[in-house]
Amino acid sequence: METAIKNNAQQYVDDVFTKLKKKNAHQPEFLQAAEEIFLSLVPVFEKNPKYMEHNILDRLVEPDRIISFRVAWQDDQNQVQVNRGYRVQYNNVIGPYKGGLRFHPTVDESIMKFLAFEQIFKNALTGQAIGGGKGGSDFNPKGKSDAEIMRFCQAFMTELYRYIGPDVDVPAGDIGVGAREVGYMWGQYKRIRGAYEAGVLTGKKPGFGGSLARTEATGYGLIYFVEEMLREEKDSFLNKKVVVSGSGNVAIYAIEKAQHFGAHVVACSDSSGYIYDPEGIDLKLVKEIKEVRGERIKAYVNERPNATYSEGCENIWSIPCDIALPCATQNEIDGDQARLLIANGVHVVAEGANMPSNLDAINEFLNAGVFFGPGKAANAGGVAVSALEMAQNSGRTYWSFQEVDEKLHSIMKAIYKESSEAAKQHGFEGNLVIGSNIAGFIKVANGMLVEGVY
Ligand code: NDP
């Protein structure tokens, strides 16, 4: 009997994935994200055949809807430019659709769907009342004037506004979308709606509906999560050598908190190359270069003579370290880079970015006994504080930095505990990939059972 269920569970997952591959053959990132989650779920179906009976996986993997729209805007030379905008509303069983907006030339339907699918599980893990979604555009903000950014954001929102709302779908920032862009979109939404619906967007500036600690939340949350991983092994950040990729929002605040806990962070990057500073990254200088001057990370070595700059970012993973924190973008660590990190003695890898390690890399880490923190658990701090921003907006109130930070800290601890326990209960102790996928899935699946099919 038990073997029959086992076969059924594997067969069920295989069948749904085969169908998915056929329907989405040209969406490699989406299929990669789906495969990673599907591989974790067989033990759940073995334990709870009712999820198979209600065909939960097949229902969950099809987005509620995908919206795509034209964004026409005028550049500084009065030329009309056209981009494509997206919003994927994936699943709202736990709360309104929630997930960031990405402005980057690589944005397409596959990227949007992979991010939105992962977001369902991540948001469920936070324990907050938020469903999963994601959006963005293939617009490239690099080199654009402030006025062009504003006009693009307004044009984008002029179309998007009809699909979102504080109880419907609540976008936020992601790559290429920070507080400035959120501010422009928020202003346009308010103008069109004629109402102050602060909870329609998160990542707003503090004082104008934004939450304190939202800027720091993903990076700090990542470090709180790794702190729990290290605690499990009776260890800490003190004197650990850390490599962080990226030098954007997530990377900067991960470096800040890791340094605060006594870690020795020696490298970071941007999309052009990486810097290595054996004396430890001067974060004040990185912030000055990236946040104030808007320069490339290369500029760092002009002011730190012992630091070196290398063109191209892949080789950042050749730097020996105890802890590696990929915080730039998807698929930045492949099998070769993972093997290099392992050969150099990496002990912990935790993902600040979404899907920065490909499946090959994840398998290498798990097989080598590297303690691996997957993005949907480790970087959930950003969206968790976004949900706290929604709560503050609903109550028309503001909480102090300390209050939000304390809530963030306890949410990250809880995510670690839940993921770790789910892994243990399903026979995969120490495997946080399986644990976080299962813990997130069960919450959403149970909600789908309650709702029924329509
Ligand atoms: P930012 O735009 O602030 O920073 C991104 C950083 O990654 C920059 O240093 C950028 O370099 C680098 N980068 C971007 N694309 C590439 C690429 N193709 N190759 C190499 N480097 C690249 O974004 P965030 O810090 O907000 O986001 C980083 C990652 O974290 C993303 O995967 C995002 O989805 C994820 N994330 C973000 C959250 C948030 O709250 N911000 C929440 C959860 C996850 P350059 O400056 O040269 O472009």
Side-chain angles (χ1 to χ4, degrees), residues 102 104 115 122 134 142 173-177 214 218 246-251 269-272 290 296 313 327-330 352-354 379 382-383:
R102 177 177 291 193
H104 195 274
L115 289 164
K122 181 189 307 195
K134 198 82 187 185
K142 278 209 185 104
D174 189 67
I175 292 180
V177 180
R214 174 60 186 91
T218 309
S247 51
N249 172 262
V250 179
S269 60
D270 61 18
S271 58
S272 309
K290 299 301 289 186
R296 310 302 298 158
C313 12
C327 295
T329 192
Q330 64 272 1
N354 285 314
N379 72 31
V383 75

Side-chain angles (χ1 to χ4, degrees), residues 127-153:
Q128 308 289 303
I130 41 179
K134 198 82 187 185
S137 172
D138 57 0
F139 170 73
N140 186 359
K142 278 209 185 104
K144 301 291 189 298
S145 70
D146 191 52
E148 287 175 321
I149 298 278
M150 184 176 78
R151 287 196 293 273
F152 177 81
C153 288

Side-chain angles (χ1 to χ4, degrees), residues 191-260:
R191 251 170 242 125
I192 296 173
R193 296 281 301 146
Y196 200 98
E197 297 174 352
V200 71
L201 280 165
T202 60
K204 302 179 293 295
K205 279 217 165 83
F208 301 91
S211 175
L212 290 168
R214 174 60 186 91
T215 308
E216 294 82 357
T218 309
Y220 279 20
L222 170 67
I223 300 304
Y224 294 149
F225 188 87
V226 176
E227 195 190 16
E228 293 307 301
M229 294 171 77
L230 292 167
R231 197 191 309 278
E232 186 89 68
E233 308 200 315
K234 311 214 172 348
D235 207 344
S236 77
F237 267 105
L238 194 62
N239 298 325
K240 292 288 180 307
K241 203 168 166 188
V242 179
V243 168
V244 177
S245 64
S247 51
N249 172 262
V250 179
I252 283 179
Y253 293 97
I255 296 173
E256 184 165 282
K257 191 50 87 178
Q259 288 180 337
H260 176 77

Side-chain angles (χ1 to χ4, degrees), residues 260-388:
H260 176 77
F261 285 160
H264 188 57
V265 184
V266 292
C268 67
S269 60
D270 61 18
S271 58
S272 309
Y274 68 92
I275 51 163
Y276 170 62
D277 188 340
E279 291 165 0
I281 294 290
D282 177 347
L283 187 60
K284 208 166 151 230
L285 180 56
V286 172
K287 280 189 182 178
E288 167 77 22
I289 290 168
K290 299 301 289 186
E291 292 183 340
V292 183
R293 294 192 226 152
E295 290 175 357
R296 310 302 298 158
I297 200 69
K298 189 179 185 174
Y300 183 92
V301 295
N302 300 337
E303 287 156 70
R304 296 276 290 187
N306 290 337
T308 53
Y309 172 76
S310 306
E311 200 64 31
C313 12
E314 317 80 55
N315 289 335
I316 191 169
W317 307 118
S318 67
I319 301 169
C321 60
D322 304 304
I323 300 172
L325 304 175
C327 295
T329 192
Q330 64 272 1
N331 291 329
E332 43 168 320
I333 304 185
D334 63 14
D336 288 339
Q337 286 149 342
R339 283 184 281 277
L340 200 53
L341 277 163
I342 294 163
N344 286 332
V346 75
H347 180 55
V348 171
V349 177
E351 301 182 321
N354 285 314
M355 209 170 72
S357 321
N358 72 11
L359 276 174
D360 194 12
I362 295 174
N363 287 334
E364 289 291 339
F365 292 137
L366 295 177
N367 292 338
V370 171
F371 205 6
F372 180 76
K376 71 175 69 63
N379 72 31
V383 75
V385 171
S386 275
L388 300 180

